[in-house]
Amino acid sequence: MLEIERLSVSYGGLSALREVSLRVGAGEFIALVGPNGAGKTTLFKAISGTVAPASGRIRYEGRDLVSAAPSERAHLGIAHVPEGRQVFPSLTVLENLEMGAYAAAGRGGLERSLERIFALFPMLADRRRQLAGTLSGGEQQMLAIGRGIASLPRLLMLDEPSMGLAPTVADLIFERIAELHRDGGLTVLLVEQRVAEALQSCDKGYVLETGRIVLEGPRQALLADDRVRRAYLGM
Amino acid sequence: MSVGPLFLAFFQVLIAGLLVGAIYGLMCVGLGLIFGVMRVINFAQGDFLMLGMYFTFYVVSAFGVFSFLGPQAAPIAGALLAGPVLFAGGWILHRLLISRVTGTRAAAEREAGQAQLILTLGIALILENGALIVFGSTPTAVHTPLSWSAWMIPFFGGASSVLFVNKARAVACVVSVLIGAALYWFIGRTRLGKALRAAADNSEAALYMGIDVDRAHSVAFGIGTGITAIAGGLVATYYTFQPYVGFDFVIIMYAGVVLGGLGSILGAFWGGMTIGLVQQLATLVLPMQLQNAAIFVVFLLVVQLRPQGFFGRSAERV
């Protein structure tokens, strides 16, 4: 579904990604883990088009994504739930979700999407008229995910959904993401610093360090890998 | 029963304040939309107002396009037509120039703010001096019989105490309120309006939703330009103007927008209304020359007590 080949990105001469290659198959749950500053967010931004690659290819469902305008990419079925949630603070919860459904795919099915989102996160239903800026961090994250799936995407990209959340809230978020993948058949690309949780639910994982993929493999192989166990799982 | 002359004078300036305030409100809404959505300090806003005035003047007084509507309605039709025409002008200006220093293209550049100031200041200078060449420096006005006629409203029954309501200003006030309300509905209720607000809140996240942020900015810039041009056309029915007239109003517009709370359309309207009221009420106690000084005393007081303005949000979680 998504194929990235030898992608490099640099910011003013500093290279953030170096020849990164990655594949996401339809229906897969891919986790991308690694320390701060490894380039995970940059990779997401390159897929969404808010940073331009220096070289390399990004193909999505067989078409070249780099030549598509950033605002077109949501219309192709890609939903990006950005780092730090980035909900629209002066819009209500409901308006945020409507904006999530801005891309053509979600527009017709807004009612059904809302039902699904409110079933997933009942808290949002109670607060639908509240301004998103007044929600707690956990609620904002739920809203950001809800907004992401409101477009009925085929590929859901989540950037650090657990960032800054209490462990119980983070667990709930991880559970819901796993549910979306398992029951909804959604293709998920997840970036996380909480490596254990991320690797638990994925089919396949990539480890990114200082702009390079240093390790990749199916879940079991990664969980069993000595380097991963020592560096990320504290074992 | 006779009413004290001071009491009568108070109501007279109160009405004048409400009438002028509504038009100031509409101007502020135009500027507030551009500032709220794009965060661009637009120096040329006063000159869009000026273009609206000259547009109305040429369409109505010079070419008599709307003469079939009669002398009362023609200036209003001219002012309303200035809206869509300057919307197109604003849209093109944004596409060709403003978008080079704002929005997604400028997001990565740290010095975009300075480029924006220089660019809009340059546009302002070109518009003012261009207008001087094309229209000349002679002060002019859109003539309408409404300008020098007034409704007389009996006040507390007394035969001698009558309130005067200038017809041109009253009509301009009603049109301003209607257009302001229409814009408020558009921003609050329509899909495009919500997309504009989303792009204003967080342009990067808006892109992830599939909102074409640069196009949204063109729409906002066009609407802001068109609205201010309509306000200009309405003002032109009772105010003498020349190519530098924008300067008389641009400070008032900025004060109104800040007073109402940056980024709030409703706030911008009430900010403009407040300025109209203060300006007129000040004439009761202060000499005419200090009208605008009174505005800024009140402005400073409000900003001191409530820095976020009437409708601004003081804080929010991130």
Side-chain angles (χ1 to χ4, degrees), chain B residues 165-188:
Chain B
V165 180
N166 180 291
K167 287 185 183 174
R169 291 190 188 208
V171 170
C173 167
V174 171
V175 174
S176 296
V177 170
L178 289 178
I179 290 174
L183 185 73
Y184 187 66
W185 172 83
F186 167 76
I187 290 291

Side-chain angles (χ1 to χ4, degrees), chain A residues 201-214:
Chain A
S201 39
C202 74
D203 299 320
K204 193 179 166 197
Y206 290 84
V207 180
L208 194 66
E209 278 175 16
T210 57
R212 289 173 200 278
I213 302 277
V214 293

Side-chain angles (χ1 to χ4, degrees), chain A residues 113-150:
Chain A
S113 284
L114 286 180
E115 255 172 57
R116 179 158 164 248
I117 294 161
F118 290 150
L120 215 54
F121 302 114
M123 264 128 140
L124 295 179
D126 302 335
R127 300 184 185 276
R128 64 178 83 190
R129 307 254 165 244
Q130 201 172 316
L131 293 184
T134 65
L135 299 178
S136 74
E139 289 162 346
Q140 288 193 6
Q141 188 60 60
M142 295 175 200
L143 179 57
I145 295 174
R147 191 180 63 175
I149 61 175

Side-chain angles (χ1 to χ4, degrees), chain A residues 45 48 50 70-71 74-75 80 82 86 88-91 95 98-100 102-103 107 133-136 140 147, chain B residues 188-192 194-195 197-199 201-213 215 313 316-318:
Chain A
K45 286 189 169 178
S48 284
T50 44
S71 61
H75 298 266
H80 182 166
Q86 305 201 23
F88 302 117
S90 74
L91 270 59
E95 286 171 338
E98 280 175 47
M99 287 299 107
Y102 191 86
R107 224 180 294 159
T134 65
L135 299 178
S136 74
Q140 288 193 6
R147 191 180 63 175
Chain B
R189 293 275 174 265
T190 65
R191 202 171 93 92
L192 184 56
K194 289 174 193 172
R197 279 155 57 214
D201 265 7
N202 188 329
S203 56
E204 187 184 329
L207 268 181
Y208 297 152
M209 303 300 114
I211 296 167
D212 187 338
V213 172
R215 195 178 140 257
R313 288 181 311 275
E316 63 195 22
R317 294 179 201 229
V318 262

Side-chain angles (χ1 to χ4, degrees), chain B residues 13-25:
Chain B
V13 293
L14 185 68
I15 287 178
L18 288 171
L19 297 183
V20 190
I23 301 163
Y24 286 174

Side-chain angles (χ1 to χ4, degrees), chain B:
Chain B
M1 188 184 96
S2 84
V3 185
L6 194 66
F7 196 56
L8 184 69
F10 173 76
F11 273 90
Q12 188 61 62
V13 293
L14 185 68
I15 287 178
L18 288 171
L19 297 183
V20 190
I23 301 163
Y24 286 174
L26 189 64
M27 288 178 203
C28 291
V29 163
L31 177 67
L33 183 69
I34 290 180
F35 186 83
V37 173
M38 304 172 57
R39 310 282 150 181
V40 168
I41 306 278
N42 181 20
F43 279 116
Q45 197 73 18
D47 304 298
F48 297 153
L49 190 85
M50 177 269 293
L51 288 179
M53 290 171 160
Y54 275 102
F55 179 86
T56 309
F57 172 77
Y58 278 100
V59 162
V60 176
S61 302
F63 300 123
V65 173
F66 290 111
S67 49
F68 63 92
L69 290 172
Q72 274 97 354
I76 307 296
L80 288 178
L81 184 65
V85 170
L86 273 119
F87 169 86
W91 170 290
I92 292 165
L93 188 66
H94 179 267
R95 273 278 122 128
L96 294 182
L97 293 174
I98 311 274
S99 68
R100 289 170 190 272
V101 292
T102 60
T104 46
R105 255 197 267 183
E109 286 171 42
R110 250 179 305 154
E111 268 150 38
Q114 295 160 24
Q116 290 164 9
L117 290 183
I118 302 293
L119 178 64
T120 62
L121 194 59
I123 292 170
L125 289 172
I126 290 169
L127 289 179
E128 282 166 24
N129 293 299
L132 205 56
I133 295 169
V134 178
F135 307 133
S137 61
T138 321
T140 175
V142 175
H143 294 290
T144 154
L146 298 178
S147 310
W148 48 84
S149 61
W151 283 296
M152 285 176 276
I153 301 169
F155 188 64
F156 281 96
S160 58
S161 48
V162 177
L163 286 177
F164 291 91
V165 180
N166 180 291
K167 287 185 183 174
R169 291 190 188 208
V171 170
C173 167
V174 171
V175 174
S176 296
V177 170
L178 289 178
I179 290 174
L183 185 73
Y184 187 66
W185 172 83
F186 167 76
I187 290 291
R189 293 275 174 265
T190 65
R191 202 171 93 92
L192 184 56
K194 289 174 193 172
L196 290 183
R197 279 155 57 214
D201 265 7
N202 188 329
S203 56
E204 187 184 329
L207 268 181
Y208 297 152
M209 303 300 114
I211 296 167
D212 187 338
V213 172
D214 285 329
R215 195 178 140 257
H217 283 179
S218 294
V219 170
F221 201 85
I223 294 177
T225 306
I227 295 264
T228 299
I230 293 177
L234 294 172
V235 169
T237 59
Y238 66 85
Y239 194 93
T240 327
F241 55 92
Q242 24 70 35
Y244 286 103
V245 71
F247 191 74
D248 298 354
F249 291 97
V250 76
I251 299 176
I252 287 177
M253 282 193 246
Y254 272 103
V257 169
V258 173
L259 212 52
L262 294 170
S264 163
I265 296 294
L266 198 60
F269 187 84
W270 288 117
M273 177 61 87
T274 306
I275 285 179
L277 283 170
V278 170
Q279 195 186 47
Q280 297 300 316
L281 288 171
T283 57
L284 281 180
V285 287
L286 291 172
M288 197 73 168
Q289 295 88 329
L290 287 179
Q291 263 190 343
N292 286 343
I295 292 174
F296 285 96
V297 171
V298 172
F299 174 79
L300 288 174
L301 277 177
V302 172
V303 173
Q304 182 72 31
L305 297 173
R306 209 180 143 73
Q308 72 273 31
F310 299 144
F311 287 79
R313 288 181 311 275
S314 55
E316 63 195 22
R317 294 179 201 229
V318 262

Side-chain angles (χ1 to χ4, degrees), chain A residues 149-186:
Chain A
I149 61 175
S151 62
L152 304 176
R154 294 190 289 283
L155 172 65
L156 179 66
M157 305 200 301
L158 299 143
D159 194 349
E160 304 246 5
S162 74
M163 192 169 76
L165 300 185
T168 50
V169 183
D171 288 347
L172 175 98
I173 299 275
F174 281 126
E175 251 172 59
R176 292 293 181 266
I177 295 167
E179 234 178 272
L180 280 170
H181 168 65
R182 200 178 51 232
D183 306 336
L186 200 56

